[in-house]
Amino acid sequence: MRPVAVKLNLRNQQRVDVATDITIEKPDGCCLTCSVSNLSRTGVMVSCSQEIVKQLIPEQRAPAPGHWIAVKTRFSVPVVAKQPVSIIADGNIVHMRRIARDEFQVGIQFAEFEGNGFDYVDRYVSKLLADSRNSV
């Protein structure tokens, strides 16, 4: 299966709050687990400890544009009720900020999805956005 490139339109992407674990794999094969804060069709915001940030971003400073840090992400979304689908996507750490003493947010922009990953994320985000509109 060929990877599918992400369609970039970052400013217009709506985010949905999601609470699930995500595994972030560094190029050296080291895997770290964080929590997803929110998800959009083009990226994910994760929450993690300072210890994990030190491993992901050794200098602990937000990456400069064009000097992003390549990672592979793995997480699940419940596309069909009670049946989570595993999503694997290559991406880049493009944002980092400290929000508490030992809590950081790391923004990962998706670059390529394996298989139907983009379609699954697209459907899941669309469903959550529709649900939130209907509950207002």
Side-chain angles (χ1 to χ4, degrees):
M1 246 189 246
R2 274 195 38 234
V4 178
V6 176
K7 299 147 190 88
L8 293 180
N9 188 0
L10 302 177
R11 296 282 176 230
N12 298 331
Q13 291 304 320
Q14 292 178 288
R15 299 166 188 224
V16 292
D17 292 333
V18 175
T20 189
D21 284 345
I22 184 169
T23 300
I24 302 170
E25 183 180 335
K26 297 180 358 180
D28 66 6
C30 174
C31 290
L32 305 161
T33 301
C34 298
S35 300
V36 173
S37 297
N38 64 55
L39 177 68
S40 76
R41 291 170 181 92
T42 57
V44 61
M45 182 70 71
V46 300
S47 177
C48 51
S49 69
Q50 184 169 14
E51 191 55 44
I52 288 177
V53 167
K54 281 182 188 175
Q55 293 179 59
L56 288 173
I57 310 169
E59 61 280 349
Q60 295 183 62
R61 281 201 304 266
H67 295 280
W68 299 327
I69 301 164
V71 293
K72 181 178 286 241
T73 61
R74 288 183 180 81
F75 58 101
S76 295
V77 295
V79 175
V80 183
K82 306 283 187 248
Q83 185 182 358
V85 176
S86 186
I87 307 294
I88 299 173
D90 291 328
N92 295 296
I93 295 175
V94 297
H95 171 77
M96 191 264 327
R97 74 174 176 209
R98 181 183 216 144
I99 58 171
R101 185 166 180 265
D102 189 40
E103 188 176 355
F104 289 76
Q105 285 187 329
V106 175
I108 299 172
Q109 180 181 321
F110 297 133
E112 271 187 348
F113 287 89
E114 287 188 12
N116 294 324
F118 178 79
D119 293 331
Y120 293 140
V121 169
D122 184 40
R123 273 191 256 167
Y124 182 56
V125 169
S126 295
K127 179 188 181 311
L128 290 178
L129 289 170
D131 290 351
S132 70
R133 279 189 221 105
N134 294 337
S135 67
V136 175

